[in-house]
Amino acid sequence: MMLDIILGITLSFVLLCFWGTGRSAVHASDHMVLSMRLPSECREEPEVNMVIRQYKRAMNWMLAVGAAGIFLVCSATDWEIVLMFAWIVALLISYGRIYQTYVGKMYRLKMERGWTIGKTHFTILVDTVLSGDKDQQLPAWQWGLLPVILEAVALGIYLVNPGVFVEEGLGRWGISILEVLVFTALLLIMRQLFIKKRNKVYSESSEENLKLNRFEKRGFSILAYGVSAAASLGLLGGILAGLAGFWNLGLILTNGVGGLSLAAAILGFYLLQRNMNRLVSEVPRQTLVDEDYYWRKGYYCNPNDPAYLVTKRTGVGMEMNMAHKGPAIIVTAFTAAVLIFVFWLAAVPVIRLQGTDFTMEEKNGVVEILSPSYPSSFSLDQVEKWKMVETGSLKGRRTNGLGTGSYSIGHFSSDQMGKGMWYIHRKSPETLLIYLKDGTHIAINQKTEEGTETLLRQLEEWLPQRDS
Amino acid sequence: MILELDTASAVPIYVQLRNQIVMGIGRGELKNGENLPTVRQLAHDAGINAMTVNKAYGILREEGFIEIDRRHGARVAARADRKGIYRERLEEELELLAAESRARGIEKEDFLSMCGQVFDQLFLTREVAER
């Protein structure tokens, strides 16, 4: 039930993000509608409004189907996680198709009516003063070493004390650390790619061009360095707090500061873009080149622009220049990696669980628990006592494992019983609970009541002289 | 100075680059001794091959419009270096232009008047830029 609620809230938030992004595409900021620059007098043309209406209708249908899909995902039992990712992928593909279709329509309308603003896309403008400005007053790249050093220290402390963290649930810490590492690495790489983008000519005045280009590149550099340093500091603080015994505080610092850093990055980038748009609109005698041709497919594709990363025309963020092989490879590889990771993480255990069940095997006094994920073992000498309990009475927090409405597998922690390994089918009425002398426990059952009884008999056979 | 290149033009990019820089010098937008971007920077910002920029700079250097120095990069040469052989070439090109104009019915007075207007316009642009 709790999982369904969390899933519902998460997916609703994702849907809200799609709604916001879709809506921002039709807001005419800087004469921009559906990624196309239109003269202000043409904004109210009937054909323009018709394309906008069709786009909004298609988006609304997509959102409605997406909302219905949330109920489907939340009501599934074994396959919620897999369905969730399938839902997100389907939404991404749908949104992409709708956006590309209507951006293409708007572009064709613009070309038919001759609504070009400024010079054609065949024009390349270069400001010799700007190009020759080697320094461009950017923060030194050495500032990027600060988050790297902080993370190296944090990682070093973590790796030197693995046992301590394993006890507290290695997976939770491992994933948190990985998230922060990936986040800061992405920010630093994006910064390096962003400052290498070509200088843009906004006006005939080199002074204005210098001011605007410096503002954009410097602003992004400061944002990237500041946010990645904050996230790294949070990680280091979390690791140190964890080592000092304040585990919850440690995780809050690691995840909380990381989450705040991500929010700060998004907000910072949004403010940077907004201020940049404002400064550009204040430029007297703007020099414009109509580059809508390179955006007509719904994404940026300009072989004459050496930049890999450019600022998005709608929404907040950046996108890749798909005219080059590098970005195409990066996007494909990233998508493939995410799909493979999700499949491995979510689908494989579910698929394997359909065909097998949790079992125990004894050899030389050691019992192996065989499970599709998180197998473990314990020594028969370590068994203190055991009993059968109602499955519904088992309540705990997952620290490193898989948990759905149908099963709980992996490391769990309970207020009554402490830490343990769970291999539980939630719909099975009873569970065999084995207490070990080190204070931990094993909870295991099978899909059927008879199966769980078999596990009990097996254990009693292996421990014939002992009472439960 | 703003260089404007047309990728759809039949004129090669390196010729456009050369012509634009010469126009800039003629109009006074590029002053004597003023630094030009390096080959790499200009190629990067224009989104063109560095060899194209290199070719344009090479022609400009041969014609005496720019100097290329390993330390300082490229910069506009002093005016005195440019006159030299150019006068001969100018006479040849003017001969052709004059002949073609006559063949197309443009008389001497008209031709000279047009030359004067173009020259004045060049300096008018320079004055506006300086103001």
Side-chain angles (χ1 to χ4, degrees):
Chain A
M1 181 67 180
M2 181 56 75
L3 177 69
D4 292 339
I5 293 171
I6 293 170
L7 212 50
I9 293 171
T10 306
L11 297 183
S12 300
F13 177 71
V14 170
L15 206 61
L16 196 65
C17 290
F18 273 101
W19 171 80
T21 305
R23 195 165 167 270
S24 72
V26 295
H27 276 191
S29 60
D30 193 25
H31 309 290
M32 196 82 71
V33 181
L34 284 173
S35 277
M36 296 291 123
R37 283 188 199 279
L38 299 180
S40 48
E41 63 271 17
C42 305
R43 272 284 287 122
E44 299 308 318
E45 289 284 324
E47 292 101 324
V48 171
N49 285 322
M50 188 177 72
V51 174
I52 292 173
R53 271 199 307 275
Q54 288 172 348
Y55 167 77
K56 282 183 176 175
R57 201 178 306 138
M59 284 296 294
N60 288 338
W61 268 111
M62 186 200 80
L63 293 169
V65 171
I70 293 177
F71 286 107
L72 199 71
V73 170
C74 292
S75 56
T77 47
D78 288 345
W79 299 87
E80 301 102 320
I81 307 296
V82 176
L83 283 176
M84 179 186 82
F85 283 106
W87 179 88
I88 292 173
V89 168
L91 212 59
L92 277 169
I93 293 171
S94 308
Y95 174 77
R97 292 294 297 271
I98 291 169
Y99 187 73
Q100 284 175 15
T101 301
Y102 290 97
V103 165
K105 268 193 178 178
M106 191 63 83
Y107 176 74
R108 283 191 295 277
L109 175 65
K110 173 177 169 161
M111 289 294 110
E112 279 164 19
R113 300 293 291 270
W115 288 337
T116 306
I117 297 180
K119 303 176 193 296
T120 71
H121 66 274
F122 296 115
T123 308
I124 297 172
L125 296 176
V126 180
D127 187 327
T128 56
V129 173
L130 196 57
S131 278
D133 182 21
K134 297 181 187 64
D135 177 27
Q136 304 209 349
Q137 295 181 14
L138 294 174
W141 64 268
Q142 287 87 346
W143 282 105
L145 292 177
L146 177 60
V148 173
I149 291 169
L150 288 171
E151 283 182 8
V153 170
L155 202 56
I157 296 172
Y158 175 80
L159 292 173
V160 159
N161 298 280
V164 180
F165 288 90
V166 163
E167 274 186 33
E168 288 303 313
L170 180 66
R172 250 191 333 175
W173 279 98
I175 288 173
S176 300
I177 289 168
L178 194 63
E179 281 169 357
V180 175
L181 284 178
V182 168
F183 174 62
T184 52
L186 274 175
L187 268 179
L188 294 175
I189 291 168
M190 277 173 66
R191 184 263 173 189
Q192 285 305 114
L193 289 176
F194 189 77
I195 62 160
K196 288 199 184 320
K197 78 189 201 83
R198 65 178 181 181
N199 292 302
K200 195 168 173 185
V201 174
Y202 294 97
S203 95
E204 291 166 10
S205 160
S206 294
E207 208 177 297
E208 286 287 343
N209 293 329
L210 263 175
K211 182 179 102 178
L212 287 165
N213 280 278
R214 276 178 187 166
F215 174 83
E216 192 177 29
K217 289 185 180 179
R218 197 188 300 174
F220 193 83
S221 293
I222 292 171
L223 182 68
Y225 285 158
V227 168
S228 55
S232 306
L233 204 57
L235 174 66
L236 182 60
I239 297 248
L240 291 174
L243 267 184
F246 302 104
W247 294 106
N248 287 331
L249 174 65
L251 277 171
I252 287 170
L253 272 176
T254 305
N255 293 319
V257 174
L260 283 173
S261 301
L262 176 62
I266 294 170
L267 180 65
F269 198 77
Y270 166 72
L271 291 173
L272 186 66
Q273 262 182 270
R274 206 175 71 160
N275 281 314
M276 195 58 199
N277 288 338
R278 181 182 54 82
L279 288 172
V280 169
S281 67
E282 289 169 2
V283 170
R285 298 196 327 263
Q286 270 194 54
T287 303
L288 290 169
V289 174
D290 197 316
E291 292 191 330
D292 287 357
Y293 173 80
Y294 300 118
W295 293 88
R296 71 193 190 286
K297 293 180 188 173
Y299 54 85
Y300 188 58
C301 188
N302 182 357
N304 296 325
D305 184 353
Y308 274 20
L309 271 181
V310 297
T311 310
K312 286 173 74 163
R313 276 195 162 186
T314 55
V316 177
M318 313 195 72
E319 65 180 273
M320 295 250 171
N321 182 0
M322 300 303 281
H324 300 299
K325 275 189 205 156
I329 290 170
I330 290 169
V331 168
T332 308
F334 183 75
T335 308
V338 167
L339 288 173
I340 290 168
F341 176 72
V342 163
F343 185 74
W344 167 74
L345 186 69
V348 167
V350 174
I351 292 167
R352 287 168 72 186
L353 201 55
Q354 301 305 310
T356 61
D357 209 334
F358 306 124
T359 56
M360 298 194 295
E361 281 180 9
E362 186 269 340
K363 193 174 178 184
N364 300 326
V366 174
V367 177
E368 299 273 348
I369 298 178
L370 303 174
S371 160
S373 298
Y374 300 93
S376 65
S377 61
F378 62 92
S379 169
L380 287 169
D381 294 337
Q382 281 297 307
V383 174
E384 190 175 37
K385 58 178 181 176
W386 63 95
K387 63 179 178 180
M388 292 289 263
V389 298
E390 279 184 20
T391 304
S393 68
L394 289 171
K395 307 247 182 269
R397 290 183 312 279
R398 182 171 52 91
T399 56
N400 178 21
L402 302 168
T404 71
S406 296
Y407 54 81
S408 300
I409 309 175
H411 298 262
F412 282 75
S413 180
S414 158
D415 291 335
Q416 291 89 23
M417 301 180 298
K419 293 172 196 160
M421 296 294 294
W422 290 15
Y423 304 91
I424 298 171
H425 291 278
R426 284 286 174 189
K427 289 176 186 157
S428 191
E430 286 194 309
T431 299
L432 172 62
L433 198 53
I434 306 169
Y435 290 93
L436 302 178
K437 288 176 183 169
D438 62 3
T440 62
H441 64 275
I442 309 278
I444 182 169
N445 66 15
Q446 289 200 339
K447 288 174 191 168
T448 61
E449 205 171 342
E450 295 76 25
T452 309
E453 292 284 337
T454 305
L455 292 173
L456 175 63
R457 279 199 299 277
Q458 270 184 320
L459 188 66
E460 287 173 341
E461 270 175 35
W462 297 329
L463 297 164
Q465 304 301 321
R466 308 263 301 274
D467 293 327
S468 62
Chain B
M1 183 203 161
I2 310 295
L3 298 173
E4 188 173 323
L5 306 172
D6 185 353
T7 57
S9 169
V11 178
I13 295 288
Y14 75 90
V15 173
Q16 291 184 50
L17 252 180
R18 178 260 172 206
N19 292 346
Q20 294 255 319
I21 291 174
V22 168
M23 293 280 280
I25 295 171
R27 284 197 208 113
E29 290 172 23
L30 291 171
K31 311 253 183 302
N32 294 341
E34 184 172 329
N35 284 328
L36 291 172
T38 62
V39 168
R40 213 162 58 106
Q41 283 164 342
L42 187 48
H44 182 266
D45 280 347
I48 57 179
N49 198 302
M51 300 287 287
T52 306
V53 179
N54 221 14
K55 196 168 179 178
Y57 274 17
I59 294 170
L60 287 163
R61 184 175 58 177
E62 274 172 24
E63 291 175 342
F65 286 108
I66 67 172
E67 295 164 341
I68 297 179
D69 184 300
R70 263 191 204 162
R71 264 191 317 156
H72 302 291
R75 56 183 171 184
V76 179
R79 199 189 286 262
D81 294 334
R82 297 188 216 128
K83 277 190 196 164
I85 305 164
Y86 181 65
R87 282 196 79 92
E88 273 183 44
R89 213 175 90 206
L90 181 60
E91 279 178 16
E92 283 171 19
E93 287 180 13
L94 274 175
E95 206 175 305
L96 178 60
L97 265 178
E100 194 174 344
S101 302
R102 189 70 189 273
R104 291 185 188 275
I106 297 176
E107 294 301 326
K108 179 184 172 182
E109 291 74 25
D110 261 344
F111 180 79
L112 289 174
S113 169
M114 278 170 68
C115 288
Q117 278 173 20
V118 169
F119 215 85
D120 289 339
Q121 191 60 35
L122 201 64
F123 282 102
L124 178 68
T125 314
R126 176 183 173 176
E127 280 166 18
V128 168
E130 281 173 357
R131 249 184 275 133

